[in-house]
Short mmCIF file of all heavy atoms in Angstrom, two decimals:
data_model
loop_
_atom_site.label_atom_id
_atom_site.label_comp_id
_atom_site.label_asym_id
_atom_site.label_seq_id
_atom_site.Cartn_x
_atom_site.Cartn_y
_atom_site.Cartn_z
N LEU K 294 0.83 -1.20 0.00
CA LEU K 294 0.00 0.00 0.00
C LEU K 294 0.87 1.26 0.00
O LEU K 294 0.55 2.26 -0.66
CB LEU K 294 -0.92 -0.02 1.22
CG LEU K 294 -2.10 0.96 1.21
CD1 LEU K 294 -2.93 0.79 -0.05
CD2 LEU K 294 -2.95 0.75 2.45
N GLU K 295 1.97 1.22 0.72
CA GLU K 295 2.91 2.35 0.74
C GLU K 295 3.41 2.65 -0.68
O GLU K 295 3.50 3.82 -1.09
CB GLU K 295 4.08 2.01 1.65
CG GLU K 295 5.14 3.08 1.74
CD GLU K 295 6.32 2.65 2.59
OE1 GLU K 295 6.14 1.73 3.44
OE2 GLU K 295 7.43 3.19 2.40
N GLN K 296 3.72 1.60 -1.43
CA GLN K 296 4.16 1.77 -2.82
C GLN K 296 3.06 2.38 -3.67
O GLN K 296 3.29 3.29 -4.46
CB GLN K 296 4.58 0.41 -3.39
CG GLN K 296 4.79 0.38 -4.90
CD GLN K 296 6.15 0.89 -5.31
OE1 GLN K 296 6.90 1.39 -4.46
NE2 GLN K 296 6.46 0.78 -6.59
N VAL K 297 1.83 1.91 -3.50
CA VAL K 297 0.71 2.42 -4.29
C VAL K 297 0.47 3.90 -4.00
O VAL K 297 0.28 4.71 -4.93
CB VAL K 297 -0.57 1.60 -4.00
CG1 VAL K 297 -1.80 2.29 -4.59
CG2 VAL K 297 -0.44 0.19 -4.58
N LEU K 298 0.47 4.27 -2.74
CA LEU K 298 0.21 5.67 -2.38
C LEU K 298 1.26 6.59 -3.01
O LEU K 298 0.92 7.68 -3.51
CB LEU K 298 0.21 5.83 -0.86
CG LEU K 298 -0.91 5.08 -0.11
CD1 LEU K 298 -0.77 5.29 1.39
CD2 LEU K 298 -2.29 5.55 -0.59
N ARG K 299 2.50 6.17 -2.99
CA ARG K 299 3.54 7.00 -3.58
C ARG K 299 3.36 7.11 -5.09
O ARG K 299 3.49 8.19 -5.67
CB ARG K 299 4.91 6.42 -3.25
CG ARG K 299 6.07 7.25 -3.75
CD ARG K 299 7.41 6.80 -3.17
NE ARG K 299 7.70 5.41 -3.49
CZ ARG K 299 7.65 4.43 -2.60
NH1 ARG K 299 7.31 4.66 -1.34
NH2 ARG K 299 7.94 3.19 -2.96
N GLN K 300 3.04 5.99 -5.73
CA GLN K 300 2.89 6.00 -7.18
C GLN K 300 1.65 6.76 -7.64
O GLN K 300 1.65 7.38 -8.71
CB GLN K 300 2.83 4.56 -7.70
CG GLN K 300 4.15 3.82 -7.61
CD GLN K 300 5.17 4.39 -8.58
OE1 GLN K 300 4.93 4.43 -9.78
NE2 GLN K 300 6.29 4.84 -8.05
N LEU K 301 0.57 6.71 -6.86
CA LEU K 301 -0.63 7.47 -7.23
C LEU K 301 -0.34 8.96 -7.27
O LEU K 301 -0.99 9.71 -8.02
CB LEU K 301 -1.76 7.19 -6.24
CG LEU K 301 -2.44 5.83 -6.37
CD1 LEU K 301 -3.45 5.63 -5.24
CD2 LEU K 301 -3.14 5.69 -7.72
N THR K 302 0.62 9.40 -6.51
CA THR K 302 0.98 10.82 -6.49
C THR K 302 2.00 11.15 -7.57
O THR K 302 1.92 12.20 -8.22
CB THR K 302 1.56 11.19 -5.11
OG1 THR K 302 0.61 10.88 -4.10
CG2 THR K 302 1.89 12.68 -5.04
N GLU K 303 2.95 10.23 -7.81
CA GLU K 303 4.08 10.56 -8.68
C GLU K 303 3.94 10.06 -10.10
O GLU K 303 4.55 10.61 -11.02
CB GLU K 303 5.36 9.96 -8.08
CG GLU K 303 5.69 10.48 -6.69
CD GLU K 303 6.86 9.74 -6.07
OE1 GLU K 303 7.32 8.75 -6.69
OE2 GLU K 303 7.31 10.14 -4.98
N SER K 304 3.16 8.99 -10.33
CA SER K 304 3.12 8.35 -11.64
C SER K 304 1.87 8.72 -12.43
O SER K 304 0.82 9.00 -11.85
CB SER K 304 3.19 6.82 -11.47
OG SER K 304 3.00 6.17 -12.70
N LEU K 305 1.99 8.68 -13.76
CA LEU K 305 0.84 8.91 -14.64
C LEU K 305 0.25 7.60 -15.14
O LEU K 305 -0.69 7.61 -15.94
CB LEU K 305 1.28 9.77 -15.85
CG LEU K 305 1.76 11.19 -15.52
CD1 LEU K 305 2.19 11.89 -16.80
CD2 LEU K 305 0.67 11.98 -14.82
N ASP K 306 0.77 6.48 -14.67
CA ASP K 306 0.25 5.19 -15.10
C ASP K 306 -1.16 4.98 -14.56
O ASP K 306 -1.60 5.66 -13.62
CB ASP K 306 1.15 4.06 -14.59
CG ASP K 306 2.49 4.05 -15.31
OD1 ASP K 306 2.56 4.61 -16.42
OD2 ASP K 306 3.46 3.49 -14.75
N THR K 307 -1.88 4.03 -15.16
CA THR K 307 -3.24 3.74 -14.70
C THR K 307 -3.20 3.14 -13.30
O THR K 307 -2.17 2.58 -12.86
CB THR K 307 -3.95 2.76 -15.63
OG1 THR K 307 -3.29 1.49 -15.56
CG2 THR K 307 -3.91 3.26 -17.07
N ILE K 308 -4.31 3.23 -12.61
CA ILE K 308 -4.38 2.68 -11.24
C ILE K 308 -4.16 1.16 -11.28
O ILE K 308 -3.49 0.60 -10.41
CB ILE K 308 -5.74 3.03 -10.61
CG1 ILE K 308 -5.84 4.55 -10.42
CG2 ILE K 308 -5.91 2.31 -9.27
CD1 ILE K 308 -7.20 5.02 -9.94
N GLY K 309 -4.68 0.51 -12.31
CA GLY K 309 -4.48 -0.94 -12.43
C GLY K 309 -3.02 -1.31 -12.58
O GLY K 309 -2.55 -2.29 -12.00
N GLN K 310 -2.29 -0.53 -13.39
CA GLN K 310 -0.87 -0.80 -13.57
C GLN K 310 -0.09 -0.59 -12.27
O GLN K 310 0.78 -1.38 -11.92
CB GLN K 310 -0.31 0.12 -14.66
CG GLN K 310 -0.81 -0.22 -16.06
CD GLN K 310 -0.42 0.82 -17.08
OE1 GLN K 310 -0.29 2.01 -16.76
NE2 GLN K 310 -0.24 0.39 -18.32
N ILE K 311 -0.43 0.48 -11.55
CA ILE K 311 0.25 0.77 -10.29
C ILE K 311 -0.01 -0.34 -9.28
O ILE K 311 0.91 -0.81 -8.58
CB ILE K 311 -0.21 2.13 -9.75
CG1 ILE K 311 0.29 3.26 -10.65
CG2 ILE K 311 0.25 2.34 -8.31
CD1 ILE K 311 -0.26 4.62 -10.31
N ALA K 312 -1.26 -0.77 -9.20
CA ALA K 312 -1.61 -1.83 -8.25
C ALA K 312 -0.88 -3.13 -8.58
O ALA K 312 -0.35 -3.81 -7.69
CB ALA K 312 -3.11 -2.05 -8.25
N ALA K 313 -0.82 -3.48 -9.87
CA ALA K 313 -0.17 -4.73 -10.27
C ALA K 313 1.33 -4.69 -9.96
O ALA K 313 1.90 -5.69 -9.51
CB ALA K 313 -0.38 -4.97 -11.76
N ARG K 314 1.95 -3.54 -10.18
CA ARG K 314 3.38 -3.42 -9.89
C ARG K 314 3.68 -3.56 -8.39
O ARG K 314 4.77 -3.95 -8.01
CB ARG K 314 3.92 -2.08 -10.40
CG ARG K 314 4.24 -2.06 -11.88
CD ARG K 314 5.26 -0.96 -12.17
NE ARG K 314 4.78 0.33 -11.74
CZ ARG K 314 4.12 1.19 -12.51
NH1 ARG K 314 3.82 0.85 -13.76
NH2 ARG K 314 3.74 2.36 -12.05
N ALA K 315 2.72 -3.20 -7.57
CA ALA K 315 2.92 -3.30 -6.12
C ALA K 315 2.59 -4.67 -5.57
O ALA K 315 2.75 -4.92 -4.37
CB ALA K 315 2.08 -2.24 -5.41
N GLY K 316 2.10 -5.58 -6.43
CA GLY K 316 1.82 -6.94 -5.98
C GLY K 316 0.36 -7.28 -5.85
O GLY K 316 0.00 -8.39 -5.45
N PHE K 317 -0.54 -6.32 -6.17
CA PHE K 317 -1.99 -6.60 -6.10
C PHE K 317 -2.44 -7.16 -7.45
O PHE K 317 -2.53 -6.43 -8.44
CB PHE K 317 -2.77 -5.31 -5.78
CG PHE K 317 -2.49 -4.76 -4.41
CD1 PHE K 317 -1.68 -3.65 -4.24
CD2 PHE K 317 -3.04 -5.36 -3.29
CE1 PHE K 317 -1.43 -3.14 -2.98
CE2 PHE K 317 -2.79 -4.85 -2.01
CZ PHE K 317 -1.98 -3.73 -1.86
N GLN K 318 -2.73 -8.43 -7.49
CA GLN K 318 -3.10 -9.08 -8.74
C GLN K 318 -4.59 -9.01 -9.04
O GLN K 318 -5.01 -9.07 -10.19
CB GLN K 318 -2.64 -10.55 -8.72
CG GLN K 318 -1.15 -10.72 -8.50
CD GLN K 318 -0.31 -9.97 -9.52
OE1 GLN K 318 -0.60 -10.00 -10.73
NE2 GLN K 318 0.71 -9.26 -9.05
N ASP K 319 -5.42 -8.89 -8.02
CA ASP K 319 -6.87 -8.82 -8.19
C ASP K 319 -7.30 -7.36 -8.02
O ASP K 319 -7.32 -6.81 -6.92
CB ASP K 319 -7.57 -9.70 -7.14
CG ASP K 319 -9.08 -9.79 -7.35
OD1 ASP K 319 -9.68 -8.81 -7.86
OD2 ASP K 319 -9.66 -10.84 -7.01
N TYR K 320 -7.64 -6.70 -9.14
CA TYR K 320 -7.89 -5.25 -9.11
C TYR K 320 -9.13 -4.91 -8.28
O TYR K 320 -9.13 -3.94 -7.51
CB TYR K 320 -8.06 -4.75 -10.54
CG TYR K 320 -8.30 -3.26 -10.62
CD1 TYR K 320 -7.31 -2.35 -10.28
CD2 TYR K 320 -9.54 -2.76 -11.02
CE1 TYR K 320 -7.52 -0.98 -10.33
CE2 TYR K 320 -9.77 -1.39 -11.08
CZ TYR K 320 -8.76 -0.50 -10.74
OH TYR K 320 -8.98 0.84 -10.79
N GLN K 321 -10.20 -5.70 -8.42
CA GLN K 321 -11.41 -5.40 -7.66
C GLN K 321 -11.17 -5.54 -6.16
O GLN K 321 -11.62 -4.70 -5.36
CB GLN K 321 -12.55 -6.32 -8.11
CG GLN K 321 -13.06 -6.02 -9.51
CD GLN K 321 -14.24 -6.88 -9.88
OE1 GLN K 321 -14.49 -7.92 -9.27
NE2 GLN K 321 -14.98 -6.47 -10.90
N HIS K 322 -10.47 -6.59 -5.77
CA HIS K 322 -10.14 -6.77 -4.35
C HIS K 322 -9.28 -5.61 -3.86
O HIS K 322 -9.46 -5.12 -2.73
CB HIS K 322 -9.41 -8.09 -4.15
CG HIS K 322 -8.92 -8.29 -2.74
ND1 HIS K 322 -9.77 -8.60 -1.70
CD2 HIS K 322 -7.66 -8.22 -2.21
CE1 HIS K 322 -9.07 -8.70 -0.58
NE2 HIS K 322 -7.78 -8.47 -0.86
N PHE K 323 -8.35 -5.16 -4.69
CA PHE K 323 -7.50 -4.03 -4.32
C PHE K 323 -8.33 -2.77 -4.05
O PHE K 323 -8.12 -2.08 -3.04
CB PHE K 323 -6.48 -3.75 -5.44
CG PHE K 323 -5.89 -2.38 -5.39
CD1 PHE K 323 -4.95 -2.02 -4.43
CD2 PHE K 323 -6.30 -1.41 -6.30
CE1 PHE K 323 -4.42 -0.75 -4.39
CE2 PHE K 323 -5.78 -0.13 -6.26
CZ PHE K 323 -4.84 0.20 -5.30
N CYS K 324 -9.29 -2.48 -4.94
CA CYS K 324 -10.11 -1.26 -4.77
C CYS K 324 -10.93 -1.31 -3.47
O CYS K 324 -11.03 -0.31 -2.74
CB CYS K 324 -11.02 -1.08 -5.97
SG CYS K 324 -10.14 -0.65 -7.49
N LYS K 325 -11.49 -2.49 -3.15
CA LYS K 325 -12.27 -2.63 -1.92
C LYS K 325 -11.38 -2.45 -0.70
O LYS K 325 -11.75 -1.77 0.26
CB LYS K 325 -12.95 -4.00 -1.88
CG LYS K 325 -14.05 -4.17 -2.92
CD LYS K 325 -14.65 -5.58 -2.84
CE LYS K 325 -15.74 -5.76 -3.89
NZ LYS K 325 -16.30 -7.14 -3.85
N MET K 326 -10.20 -3.08 -0.73
CA MET K 326 -9.27 -2.98 0.38
C MET K 326 -8.82 -1.53 0.57
O MET K 326 -8.74 -1.02 1.70
CB MET K 326 -8.06 -3.89 0.12
CG MET K 326 -6.97 -3.83 1.18
SD MET K 326 -5.84 -2.43 1.02
CE MET K 326 -5.28 -2.63 -0.67
N PHE K 327 -8.53 -0.85 -0.56
CA PHE K 327 -8.04 0.53 -0.50
C PHE K 327 -9.08 1.44 0.17
O PHE K 327 -8.75 2.22 1.08
CB PHE K 327 -7.74 1.02 -1.92
CG PHE K 327 -7.00 2.33 -1.98
CD1 PHE K 327 -5.63 2.37 -2.15
CD2 PHE K 327 -7.68 3.54 -1.85
CE1 PHE K 327 -4.95 3.57 -2.20
CE2 PHE K 327 -7.01 4.75 -1.90
CZ PHE K 327 -5.64 4.76 -2.07
N LYS K 328 -10.34 1.31 -0.25
CA LYS K 328 -11.38 2.18 0.31
C LYS K 328 -11.62 1.86 1.78
O LYS K 328 -11.88 2.75 2.61
CB LYS K 328 -12.67 2.03 -0.48
CG LYS K 328 -13.72 3.06 -0.09
CD LYS K 328 -14.85 3.11 -1.09
CE LYS K 328 -15.82 4.25 -0.75
NZ LYS K 328 -16.91 4.38 -1.73
N LYS K 329 -11.50 0.58 2.14
CA LYS K 329 -11.69 0.18 3.53
C LYS K 329 -10.59 0.77 4.40
O LYS K 329 -10.85 1.22 5.53
CB LYS K 329 -11.69 -1.34 3.63
CG LYS K 329 -11.90 -1.87 5.05
CD LYS K 329 -11.92 -3.39 5.06
CE LYS K 329 -12.10 -3.91 6.49
NZ LYS K 329 -12.12 -5.39 6.53
N LYS K 330 -9.36 0.80 3.88
CA LYS K 330 -8.24 1.28 4.66
C LYS K 330 -8.20 2.81 4.73
O LYS K 330 -7.86 3.39 5.77
CB LYS K 330 -6.92 0.78 4.05
CG LYS K 330 -6.67 -0.70 4.23
CD LYS K 330 -6.24 -1.00 5.66
CE LYS K 330 -5.83 -2.46 5.81
NZ LYS K 330 -5.44 -2.77 7.20
#
């Protein structure tokens, strides 16, 4: 999550690409977890 937060601020890549690079393979599960956290 630390990696994702940094990339969401610094990178122009899509959210799916950022999540996958950080190790989140299931995009829908990632979005639910992110909003919960």
Side-chain angles (χ1 to χ4, degrees):
L294 195 55
E295 179 184 338
Q296 168 82 353
V297 168
L298 296 178
R299 183 169 59 252
Q300 290 291 302
L301 286 175
T302 303
E303 300 173 354
S304 173
L305 296 178
D306 290 339
T307 66
I308 295 174
Q310 290 171 330
I311 292 172
R314 279 203 303 268
F317 294 104
Q318 302 304 316
D319 186 329
Y320 181 68
Q321 290 184 341
H322 174 74
F323 160 74
C324 291
K325 291 178 181 178
M326 177 279 305
F327 190 98
K328 189 166 185 177
K329 181 179 179 180
K330 289 284 186 182

